[in-house]
């Protein structure tokens, strides 16, 4: 039976709204306003998880996003399940289910717990050391290790939720809505700065909102009362947008920040549907005010990880904010005054406090005196040397601490307790600050890293800037705001603050035990089970850099990124190695501050929006006629058109034969098209293509090859001269954008004197390529009044014509070797044009063909495809295309590189044709080519770049690049495959119609 | 993510831009007159400084104009931006 530890009503908990939820299959009740952690604690449940390595029972330690232990699987087994969620951040709702992670069969009885007893055998680097021998066994070990490791389970079905992205531009972004953040936001907004205030919690006010130290006063009021008034006031300020449940994940350069806004995670399932679950805010802020506060540190002592051991500040928050007592017999362990505030908070609510153990010798503060009056026993100069209780703390043992703090003396006292609040001082949350690239400095007196040199317009205010007391906070906030926002007065000028001035602290990074150090378990990183022993071992083994120690021991590498223990790790390293902490530096804080879901990161870009598809104007026709598609860049191109269940091979064979025997039609709309105009257009083409362009007559087309400045083939295509100063260039489908970019680059930077204008018109035109011996007859039917004679409209020329009232540009050019026409119309007429061609071609059995047949047909002709037969290392000479390289032109892009000693080598890989001795064997593209079979190692001469079975030649053909291939015609080579060696012969790459007779057929 | 002040469009997010390598490397006017080594110097040799570097950038998803930027590569501080053809600021 569980007890109810709800002790007092809280204004943040709605006790009229009772909520039931399940944890590990058992039903519990909490109230609206509870987190999963506070509701479990109210039900006296501390044991919520098992640790990663030793499977030790672990409880709730904190009340915020820094929680290392209480990480749970939310809604297990559903498609909304999420692993590694901090129970301290989950707001409960009716129907919530959660379960513990990293335990089997249950958190109460976990078989992995045996690791705890075997722990002497699991030191830092255990896996590296143990499973390395023999090397080849690693894969087998890994299988078992992976199986037993891992925190939580990913969902196995699609995420039903919607995620969103939003860009925000603001003058001032304030991160954190504690007292500093609220005052900063208020003064920024009131001075006409467009301000955004974000906080990861659902309530504003940070920790001041439940501040109860009666010795602290603002304007004669308790700070919590005073702040509530301020919060009411800022809710109505124009210019100020407030976002709660919004956690800043990353702070990049130039004040660019990413935040996750949580919109539905706290709602019941029925209220979640059709709403945006989380939104990624992409914030550009002119100024950033970090008010991220500070995280309380634990103390590092033997067995400091048992369920029931919590941060003192968390014990206080659970009591003040949630009205929950974390235990019936509470003890505090501290090195400063914070624990006394917590103890007083419990005392005032009638919750039993057994004792306070303080490692200091004395404190004269008012709050300590007050505690003394209550009669709570204080053990000065004492330290906890051990704790007891497996699944729940049941006692602590304390001993007197030596003067230097390195050992304990005297007799051991045992104190029975079920909750221990630990207060080790405060660490400013500088994570976001350092993510921005700004540098920290170690403050020897306060024992904290503080902001030092900022790289952007930003300030850190409040405790993240090193001010821990309310008077300091307000004083420093005031002049930081005036300075940074350039304002003369603020409403902080006249605030009267009274505080308890005493503020002593005794910092000992690792507390001693009466047991030998080797027999103790002082945990530094709770989630990853890294102890002070592991850190010392790493140092003994020679690790010096903090980054190396971190990786070797995994300290700070959990999902909590070591928010609690990193400072202790640094302190222990510094003490052990005898260096100063300031010199040691810190490990790098990386985004995200708290984990982000993948859904938030991708936002709306899921499913068909994951990557943009481009479709041609004829696409609907291809879909209706059952085309298979392939992706070419972002384009969806018709690949082949299977009929009656044909395989791709069968379809391609049929399409290829039809195109050569009668007529074929291809959707060529995806080819890149660049409109080039200007009085220097001809000169420009002369400089970018390898061949000469000045003499190309108006109305004629020419094939061009474009090189990079290094002499390697970059792109190719046909360019047509439409007028004196007007050309249209076609590029490869995939190269279109890059070619335009490259041409613009040369025009703007190298040749700004040229009068040339470039416009991409790829999407403006639809192109149907009509080919085959009957293509002329089909075109004649479509445009009867156009003279299609070879005299009037020869190969490589261009005509403007009308199909009915539709204007079109027709180029008589061929990529298949057949007589063919490319008809271009305004994109919106593309589908009509296509249908007209199909209709006119019906009597000639016009056959649609896709990209695969196009590739086969051009391979029969030995035409290259840039990017398939070339790979950025092929010159035109390597491609046996010397004919297209002008000898007369003084210069063109890449020309000089063709005369470098390396590009002139004769044993470069060169394009050749390959025929298999057995005409039925089709080579695999990418297959390697050798000249010797009985040699090892054998030199790889080259590889197959294109390979098909040609239905027109009735044999297998291939293009390949082979070292020195040009002079190998007729030579026998081998293509060794897994099961056989294929004999091939080097031939001319033009397999079909070498004399180009069919172009005019 | 930098905030880049395009000389033609004003401040824009870095994702609208493309970096184009070291600036002020002029394409030789008479490449054929150059030795292999001299041509290779132009073609391949680029500085990669930790510190202040002169770079070319292009506003790819904006005005598509090229311009020059002076950037400290150690902290990504943009020191100056100027148009193509303009003189670089004195260091």
């Amino acid at each position: 039976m569980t007890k109810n530890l709800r002790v007092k009503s809280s204004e943040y908990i709605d006790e009229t709204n009772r909520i039931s939820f399940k944890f590990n299959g058992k039903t519990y009740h909490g109230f609206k306003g509870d987190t999963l952690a506070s509701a479990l604690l109210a039900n006296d449940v501390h044991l919520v998880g098992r640790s990663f390595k030793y499977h030790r029972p672990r409880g709730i330690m904190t009340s915020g996003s820094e929680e290392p232990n209480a990480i749970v699987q939310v809604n297990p087994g559903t498609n909304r399940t999420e692993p590694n969620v901090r129970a301290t951040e989950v707001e409960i709702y009716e129907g919530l289910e959660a379960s513990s992670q990293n335990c089997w069969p249950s958190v109460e009885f976990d078989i992995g717990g045996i690791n705890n007893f075997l722990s002497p055998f699991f030191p830092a680097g255990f896996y590296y050391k143990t499973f390395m021998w023999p090397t080849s066994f690693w894969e087998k070990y890994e299988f078992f290790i992976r199986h037993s490791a891992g925190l939580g389970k990913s969902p196995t079905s699609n995420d039903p939720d919607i995620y969103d992205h939003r860009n925000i531009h603001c003058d001032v972004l304030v991160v954190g809505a504690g007292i500093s953040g609220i005052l900063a936001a208020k003064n920024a907004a009131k001075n006409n700065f467009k301000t955004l205030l974000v906080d990861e919690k659902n309530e504003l006010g940070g920790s001041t909102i439940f501040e109860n130290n009666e010795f602290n006063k603002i304007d004669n009021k308790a700070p919590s009362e005073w702040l509530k008034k301020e919060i009411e006031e800022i809710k109505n300020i124009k210019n100020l947008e407030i976002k709660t449940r919004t956690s800043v994940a990353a702070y990049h350069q130039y004040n660019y920040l990413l935040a996750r806004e949580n919109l539905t995670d706290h709602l019941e399932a029925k209220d979640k549907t059709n709403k945006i679950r989380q939104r990624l805010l992409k914030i550009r802020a002119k100024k950033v005010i970090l008010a991220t506060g500070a995280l309380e540190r634990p103390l590092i002592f033997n067995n400091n990880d048992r369920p029931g051991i919590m941060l003192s500040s968390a014990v206080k928050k659970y009591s003040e904010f949630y009205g929950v007592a974390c235990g019936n017999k509470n003890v505090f362990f501290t090195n400063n005054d914070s624990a006394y505030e917590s103890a007083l908070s419990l005392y005032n609510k009638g919750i039993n406090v057994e004792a306070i153990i303080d490692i200091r010798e004395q404190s004269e503060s008012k709050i300590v005196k007050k505690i003394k009056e209550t009669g709570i026993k204080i053990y000065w100069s004492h330290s906890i040397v051990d704790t007891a209780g497996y699944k729940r703390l049941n006692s602590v043992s304390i001993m007197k601490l030596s003067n230097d703090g390195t050992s304990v003396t005297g007799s051991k006292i045992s104190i029975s307790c079920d909750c221990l609040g630990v207060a080790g001082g405060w660490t400013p949350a500088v994570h976001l600050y350092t993510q921005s690239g700004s540098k920290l400095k170690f403050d020897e007196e306060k024992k904290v890293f503080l902001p030092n040199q900022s790289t952007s317009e930003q300030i850190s205010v409040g405790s993240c800037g090193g001010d821990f007391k309310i008077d300091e906070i307000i004083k420093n906030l005031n002049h930081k705001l005036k300075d940074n926002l350039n304002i003369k007065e603020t409403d902080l000028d006249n605030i009267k603050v009274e505080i308890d001035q005493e503020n002593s602290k005794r910092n000992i990074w690792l507390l001693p035990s009466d047991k030998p150090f080797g027999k103790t378990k002082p945990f530094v990183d709770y989630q990853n089970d890294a102890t002070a022993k592991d850190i010392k071992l790493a140092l003994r083994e020679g690790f010096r850099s903090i980054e190396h120690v971190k990786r070797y021991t995994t300290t700070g590498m959990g999902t909590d990124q070591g928010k609690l223990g990193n400072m202790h790790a640094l302190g222990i390293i510094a003490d052990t190695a005898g260096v100063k902490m300031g010199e040691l530096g810190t490990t790098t804080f990386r985004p995200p501050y708290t984990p982000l879901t993948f859904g938030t990161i991708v936002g709306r870009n899921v499913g068909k929006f994951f990557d943009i598809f481009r479709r041609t104007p004829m696409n609907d026709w291809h879909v209706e006629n059952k085309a298979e598609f392939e992706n070419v860049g972002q384009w969806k191109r018709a690949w082949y058109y299977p009929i009656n269940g044909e395989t791709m091979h069968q379809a391609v064979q049929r399409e290829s034969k039809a195109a050569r025997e009668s007529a074929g039609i291809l959707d060529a709309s995806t080819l890149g098209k660049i409109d080039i105009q200007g009085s220097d257009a001809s000169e420009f083409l002369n400089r970018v293509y390898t061949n000469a362009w000045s003499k190309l007559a108006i109305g004629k087309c020419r094939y061009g090859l474009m090189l990079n400045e290094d002499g390697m083939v970059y792109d190719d295509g046909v360019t047509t001269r439409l007028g004196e100063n007007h050309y249209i260039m076609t590029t490869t489908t995939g190269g279109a954008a890059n070619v335009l970019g490259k041409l613009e680059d040369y025009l703007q930077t190298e040749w700004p004197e040229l009068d040339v204008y470039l416009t991409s018109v790829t999407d403006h035109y639809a192109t149907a390529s009509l080919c085959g011996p009957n293509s002329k007859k089909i075109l004649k039917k479509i445009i009867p009044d156009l003279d299609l004679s070879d005299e009037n409209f020869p190969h490589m020329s261009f005509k403007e014509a009308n199909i009915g009232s539709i204007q079109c540009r027709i180029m008589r050019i061929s990529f298949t070797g057949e007589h063919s026409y490319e008809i271009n119309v305004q994109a919106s007429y593309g589908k009509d044009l296509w249908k007209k061609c199909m209709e006119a071609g019906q009597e000639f059995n016009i056959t649609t063909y896709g990209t695969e047949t196009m590739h086969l047909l051009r391979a029969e002709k030995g035409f290259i495809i840039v990017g398939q037969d070339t790979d950025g290392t092929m010159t035109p000479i390597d491609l046996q295309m010397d004919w297209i390289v002008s000898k007369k032109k003084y210069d063109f892009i890449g020309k000089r590189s063709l005369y470098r000693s390396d590009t002139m080598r004769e044993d470069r890989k060169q394009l050749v044709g390959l025929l298999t001795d057995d005409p039925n064997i089709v080579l695999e593209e990418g297959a390697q080519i050798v000249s010797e079979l009985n040699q090892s190692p054998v030199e790889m001469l080259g590889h197959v770049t294109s390979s098909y079975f040609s239905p027109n030649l009735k044999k297998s053909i291939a293009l390949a690049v082979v070292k020195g291939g040009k002079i190998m015609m007729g030579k026998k080579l081998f293509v060794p495959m897994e099961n056989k060696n294929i004999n091939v012969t080097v031939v001319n790459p033009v397999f079909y119609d070498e004399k180009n007779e069919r172009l005019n057929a | 993510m930098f905030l880049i002040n395009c000389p033609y469009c004003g401040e824009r997010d870095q994702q609208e831009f493309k970096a184009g390598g070291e600036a002020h490397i002029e394409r030789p006017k008479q490449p054929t007159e150059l030795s292999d080594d001299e041509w290779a110097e132009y073609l391949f040799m680029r500085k990669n400084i930790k510190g202040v570097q002169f770079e070319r950038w292009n506003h790819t998803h904006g005005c598509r104009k090229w311009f020059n930027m002076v950037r400290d590569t150690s902290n990504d501080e943009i020191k100056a931006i100027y148009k193509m053809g303009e003189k670089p600021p004195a260091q």
Side-chain angles (χ1 to χ4, degrees):
Chain A
M1 207 192 99
T2 55
K3 290 168 285 186
N4 192 331
L5 294 181
R6 196 75 63 171
V7 288
K8 182 201 154 234
S9 57
S10 151
E11 61 185 288
Y12 301 101
I13 297 295
D14 177 4
E15 289 190 44
T16 62
N17 195 342
R18 195 161 176 263
I19 288 170
S20 60
F21 65 96
K22 278 187 179 173
F23 183 67
N24 286 334
K26 197 174 161 194
T27 303
Y28 297 94
H29 297 282
F31 299 112
K32 184 88 189 148
D34 264 326
T35 62
L36 180 59
S38 69
L40 286 172
L41 290 169
N43 285 285
D44 204 21
V45 176
H46 275 258
L47 171 61
V48 290
R50 292 276 178 158
S51 69
F52 190 55
K53 195 158 133 191
Y54 305 132
H55 292 251
R56 281 168 70 104
R58 289 284 165 79
I60 297 158
M61 271 207 82
T62 72
S63 56
S65 60
E66 70 271 34
E67 177 61 39
N69 287 343
I71 54 175
V72 297
Q73 181 96 27
V74 173
N75 296 320
T78 71
N79 54 3
R80 281 207 167 89
T81 191
E82 191 179 339
N84 303 333
V85 181
R86 293 151 301 283
T88 47
E89 289 197 301
V90 177
E91 295 173 49
I92 61 164
Y93 49 84
E94 192 64 37
L96 168 73
E97 286 191 37
S99 63
S100 301
Q101 300 182 159
N102 205 35
C103 53
W104 185 84
S106 77
V107 70
E108 292 285 338
F109 178 73
D110 176 17
I111 285 184
I114 193 158
N115 284 6
N116 185 36
F117 304 102
L118 299 175
S119 64
F121 306 109
F122 290 105
F126 168 74
Y127 290 109
Y128 308 122
K129 287 167 181 163
T130 311
F131 294 114
M132 290 311 290
W133 331 105
T135 317
S136 61
F137 269 45
W138 169 247
E139 281 180 22
K140 291 197 174 60
Y141 293 133
E142 196 194 14
F143 176 81
F144 288 102
I145 295 167
R146 292 261 176 256
H147 213 65
S148 60
L151 293 166
K153 288 190 172 62
S154 322
T156 51
S157 51
N158 282 349
D159 190 334
D161 285 314
I162 307 165
Y163 299 83
D164 201 17
H165 286 183
R166 181 181 157 196
N167 286 298
I168 296 181
H169 295 262
C170 59
D171 295 327
V172 177
L173 169 71
V174 183
V175 186
I179 185 168
S180 319
I182 283 167
L183 295 177
K186 179 183 167 191
N187 281 287
K190 282 197 160 176
N191 281 283
N192 292 323
F193 291 95
K194 189 185 162 204
T195 306
L196 173 66
L197 171 66
V198 300
D199 194 278
E200 60 182 6
K201 300 235 163 37
N202 60 341
E203 291 284 349
L204 302 176
S207 61
T208 312
I209 204 69
F210 53 89
E211 170 69 56
N212 62 344
N213 186 335
E214 64 194 77
F215 304 107
N216 293 343
K217 289 265 171 14
I218 305 178
D219 285 344
N220 287 321
K221 287 200 184 96
S224 54
E225 287 309 309
W226 183 85
L227 188 60
K228 274 171 205 163
K229 213 180 81 263
E230 294 289 311
I231 290 171
E232 280 318 304
E233 204 181 315
I234 64 161
K235 283 180 180 166
N236 300 312
I237 301 180
K238 194 172 66 146
N239 271 344
L240 176 61
E241 189 180 2
I242 302 171
K243 285 190 176 294
T244 52
R245 300 188 177 101
T246 300
S247 164
V248 174
Y251 187 168
H252 296 292
Q253 301 151 313
Y254 291 80
N255 281 350
Y256 181 65
L257 296 92
L258 297 174
R260 184 211 53 222
E261 185 182 16
N262 226 330
L263 298 162
T264 66
D265 276 2
H266 59 291
L267 301 178
E268 283 180 45
K270 68 178 168 64
D271 297 327
K272 287 186 207 276
T273 44
N274 296 325
K275 285 186 189 149
I276 292 163
R277 179 191 171 201
Q278 292 175 345
R279 187 182 275 142
L280 186 71
L281 306 178
K282 302 170 174 183
I283 308 166
R284 275 276 182 205
K286 293 212 175 81
K287 293 169 190 290
V288 174
I289 299 178
L290 293 174
T292 48
L295 301 173
E296 189 167 45
R297 296 175 198 167
L299 290 165
I300 309 301
F301 52 94
N302 184 25
N303 285 323
N304 57 344
D305 66 326
R306 302 194 186 280
I309 301 181
M310 306 173 69
L311 293 181
S312 144
S313 58
V315 174
K316 175 172 152 192
K317 180 164 185 185
Y318 286 117
S319 123
E320 290 284 340
F321 192 88
Y322 299 103
V324 172
C326 295
N328 290 313
K329 288 191 280 183
N330 297 283
V331 170
F332 289 91
F333 184 27
T334 188
N335 68 2
N336 68 92
D337 284 348
S338 300
Y340 292 82
E341 290 185 0
S342 304
L344 193 60
S345 162
L346 297 195
Y347 177 83
N348 287 340
K349 290 188 173 51
I351 306 167
N352 177 31
V353 179
E354 297 281 320
I356 298 174
I357 299 136
D358 199 323
I359 66 173
R360 296 175 295 179
E361 281 162 20
Q362 198 49 261
S363 167
E364 295 301 324
S365 64
K366 291 176 188 162
I367 188 125
V368 170
K369 284 179 184 150
K370 176 87 184 176
I371 287 285
K372 283 177 182 166
E373 287 166 19
T374 65
I376 295 171
K377 172 92 179 133
I378 304 172
Y379 295 91
W380 297 105
S381 296
H382 271 72
S383 178
I384 295 182
V385 295
D386 203 356
T387 66
Y390 186 57
K391 290 181 201 166
R392 177 74 184 266
L393 179 72
N394 59 35
S395 70
V396 297
S397 309
I398 66 169
M399 286 174 79
K400 182 107 177 128
L401 200 55
S402 66
N403 287 340
D404 63 359
T406 57
S407 61
V408 283
T409 56
S411 57
K412 207 189 283 189
I413 306 165
S414 177
I415 305 169
S416 166
C417 60
D418 58 2
C419 178
L420 175 69
V422 181
W426 295 84
T427 304
V430 292
H431 307 70
L432 293 176
Y433 175 81
T434 58
Q435 280 181 24
S436 74
S438 301
K439 297 274 175 280
L440 298 169
K441 195 179 168 190
F442 190 71
D443 184 318
E444 281 294 341
E445 187 200 334
K446 290 178 177 166
K447 296 281 178 209
V448 290
F449 282 97
L450 292 178
N452 188 31
Q453 281 178 316
S454 307
T455 55
S456 60
E457 274 281 340
Q458 58 167 308
I459 45 174
S460 294
V461 300
S463 55
C464 75
D467 300 327
F468 297 105
K469 295 259 169 192
I470 290 177
D471 60 335
E472 282 174 3
I473 289 174
I474 289 179
K475 192 179 88 194
N476 290 330
L477 173 64
N478 196 12
H479 50 245
K480 277 178 184 173
L481 282 178
K482 285 179 178 173
D483 202 39
N484 188 255
L485 302 179
N486 198 18
I487 50 181
K488 288 212 171 60
E489 47 189 57
T490 71
D491 62 0
L492 304 178
D493 290 335
N494 304 313
I495 292 177
K496 271 205 344 248
V497 181
E498 292 166 40
I499 63 146
D500 188 358
Q501 282 299 341
E502 182 65 31
N503 186 22
S504 71
K505 186 180 166 187
R506 182 185 188 189
N507 204 79
I508 301 174
W509 294 115
L510 172 61
L511 291 156
S513 171
D514 57 328
K515 284 191 185 169
F517 181 61
K519 302 254 182 217
T520 62
K521 279 211 182 67
F523 286 91
V524 176
D525 181 315
Y526 299 86
Q527 195 179 95
N528 275 346
D529 274 348
T531 65
K533 270 193 304 192
D534 295 318
I535 292 169
K536 292 200 172 198
L537 176 70
L539 292 168
R540 277 207 307 281
E541 291 185 358
F543 291 91
R544 284 294 171 268
S545 152
I546 170 70
E547 295 283 0
H548 291 160
V549 174
K550 165 181 165 174
R551 279 155 186 80
Y552 191 59
T553 61
T554 71
T555 302
M557 289 175 70
T559 59
D560 61 328
Q561 296 270 292
K563 290 187 181 75
L564 295 189
N566 270 355
M567 283 301 289
H568 303 89
L570 291 170
I572 292 166
I573 293 168
D575 286 353
T576 310
V579 294
K580 284 188 169 173
M581 280 183 76
E583 292 162 10
L584 203 57
T586 63
T587 53
T588 313
F589 298 103
R590 290 195 176 83
Y593 178 67
T594 47
L596 287 175
T597 59
F598 282 112
T600 314
I601 295 167
V602 296
R604 303 266 175 173
N605 302 324
V606 292
K608 62 179 176 178
F609 300 113
F610 179 67
D611 196 12
I612 299 163
F613 291 139
R614 299 172 79 185
R615 300 179 199 279
T616 73
M618 292 80 134
N619 186 72
D620 289 352
W621 192 95
H622 306 321
V623 172
E624 284 160 24
N625 288 275
K626 310 278 188 294
E628 292 289 330
F629 288 85
E630 77 166 330
N631 297 332
V632 182
Q634 287 176 323
W635 287 102
K636 288 276 173 201
R637 291 198 72 177
W639 193 11
Y640 58 97
Y641 299 80
I643 301 174
N644 301 329
E646 279 176 327
T647 62
M648 175 162 107
H649 178 74
Q650 289 164 339
V652 169
Q653 297 289 305
R654 172 181 52 77
E655 290 171 10
S656 311
K657 260 177 97 73
R660 292 228 189 274
E661 285 171 5
S662 177
I665 183 168
L666 171 84
D667 180 357
S669 308
T670 64
L671 284 183
K673 294 175 273 290
I674 300 170
D675 186 271
I676 303 174
Q677 300 193 41
S679 56
D680 293 317
S682 303
E683 171 61 17
F684 180 63
L685 290 175
N686 257 337
R687 295 187 192 185
V688 299
Y689 277 133
T690 59
N691 46 351
W693 288 77
S694 338
K695 286 184 188 148
L696 183 71
I698 294 169
K700 295 286 183 207
C701 316
R702 184 165 285 172
Y703 173 76
L705 205 55
M706 201 181 285
L707 309 186
N708 253 332
E709 205 67 270
D710 62 5
M712 303 305 157
V713 172
Y714 183 72
D715 203 80
D716 68 345
V718 170
T719 294
T720 303
R721 189 166 196 177
L722 302 174
E724 177 63 27
N725 297 322
H726 191 186
Y727 291 83
I728 181 121
M729 172 188 278
T730 57
T731 71
T732 57
T733 296
N738 289 336
V739 169
L740 179 70
K742 178 178 152 108
L743 299 184
E744 285 178 328
D745 186 353
Y746 274 91
L747 264 184
Q748 290 180 33
T749 64
E750 299 295 352
W751 308 320
E753 71 281 4
L754 293 187
D755 175 39
V756 177
Y757 302 89
L758 305 172
T759 311
S760 167
V761 292
T762 305
D763 295 316
H764 304 56
Y765 289 97
T767 310
S769 176
L770 201 56
C771 91
N774 285 319
S775 57
K776 191 172 175 176
K777 292 176 197 155
I778 296 170
L779 188 62
K780 190 73 196 169
K781 281 178 74 180
I782 302 171
I783 315 175
D785 53 352
L786 182 62
D787 179 0
L788 296 179
S789 66
D790 285 346
E791 294 71 40
N792 183 57
F793 196 178
H795 182 58
M796 297 309 271
S797 67
F798 152 81
K799 291 285 175 215
E800 274 182 331
N802 286 324
I803 304 176
S805 61
I806 304 170
Q807 288 184 332
C808 56
R809 289 172 172 174
I810 307 169
M811 281 87 169
R812 189 173 158 195
I813 53 177
S814 175
F815 192 41
T816 59
E818 296 297 321
H819 188 124
S820 56
Y821 301 93
E822 281 190 5
I823 312 167
N824 296 275
V825 294
Q826 193 182 312
S828 51
Y829 295 122
K831 208 168 140 191
D832 285 346
L833 169 70
W834 187 265
K835 282 181 179 164
K836 258 200 170 78
C837 292
M838 293 304 293
E839 216 174 273
Q842 202 174 14
E843 62 175 290
F844 305 101
N845 185 30
I846 190 170
T847 301
T848 51
Y849 67 92
T851 49
E852 192 64 20
T853 292
M854 175 188 82
H855 285 179
L856 191 161
L857 294 173
R858 65 84 209 179
E860 289 178 339
K861 286 294 295 174
F863 294 151
I864 57 156
I865 288 185
V866 174
Q868 175 159 346
D869 302 297
T870 73
D871 60 0
T873 65
M874 303 293 286
T875 69
I877 320 300
D878 297 338
L879 293 169
Q880 306 218 44
M881 291 173 79
D882 312 45
W883 54 271
I884 204 172
V885 180
S886 165
K887 300 270 186 307
K888 288 186 195 142
K889 281 201 294 185
Y890 180 69
D891 192 14
F892 56 83
I893 297 172
K895 172 164 175 152
R896 176 61 187 81
S897 290
L898 299 179
Y899 304 95
R900 291 177 59 234
S901 55
D902 184 59
T903 46
M904 288 170 71
R905 274 190 299 115
E906 283 179 359
D907 62 345
R908 288 177 63 83
K909 283 185 187 166
Q910 289 145 358
L911 186 81
V912 294
L914 287 185
L915 287 177
T916 48
D917 288 3
D918 177 346
N920 289 315
I921 298 178
V922 180
L923 296 171
E924 268 185 44
E925 288 175 0
Q928 308 282 290
I929 300 163
V930 300
S931 62
E932 288 289 335
L933 281 175
N934 303 319
Q935 208 178 315
S936 178
V938 63
E939 190 194 10
M940 196 274 271
L941 292 180
H943 65 277
V944 179
T945 58
S946 297
S947 174
Y948 306 91
F949 186 83
S950 161
N952 300 301
L953 297 160
K954 300 191 174 57
K955 63 182 178 190
S956 143
I957 56 166
L959 298 175
V961 292
V962 175
K963 276 185 190 167
K966 254 186 222 184
I967 50 163
M968 280 192 187
M969 292 304 137
K971 195 172 159 79
K972 299 276 182 195
L973 296 174
F974 307 98
V975 176
M977 299 302 289
E978 208 172 356
N979 308 316
K980 59 185 172 189
N981 295 310
I982 303 168
N983 297 337
V984 296
T985 307
V986 180
V987 295
N988 183 321
V990 185
F991 299 97
Y992 188 75
D993 184 28
E994 207 170 329
K995 290 181 183 154
N996 291 327
E997 285 162 346
R998 301 186 62 85
L999 286 174
N1000 294 315
Chain B
M1 235 16 134
F2 313 164
L3 196 58
I4 297 173
N5 194 1
C6 169
Y8 304 93
C9 308
E11 280 192 339
R12 293 291 188 278
D13 191 278
Q14 186 190 342
Q15 64 183 5
E16 294 185 15
F17 297 84
K18 200 174 94 177
E22 196 180 334
H24 303 298
I25 297 177
E26 202 184 339
R27 185 174 190 272
K29 290 272 182 288
Q30 297 169 317
T32 42
E33 315 288 311
L34 302 180
S35 68
D36 268 13
D37 285 350
E38 287 166 329
W39 179 246
E41 183 67 29
Y42 159 70
L43 198 55
F44 300 122
M45 297 308 177
R46 297 292 182 272
K47 289 176 204 142
N48 187 10
I49 306 164
K50 181 180 179 184
V52 175
Q53 184 161 282
F54 292 72
E55 301 173 332
R56 288 156 23 99
W57 282 75
N58 182 233
H59 196 182
T60 338
H61 298 286
C63 62
R64 295 192 65 84
K65 285 282 195 185
W66 285 90
F67 57 88
N68 294 313
M69 180 193 286
V70 187
R71 181 175 67 106
D72 188 331
T73 58
S74 67
N75 58 13
D76 287 327
E77 190 193 334
I78 297 170
K79 306 249 181 207
I81 283 175
Y82 52 102
K83 292 179 182 174
M84 280 292 157
E86 288 180 355
K87 275 214 169 113
Q91 282 197 50

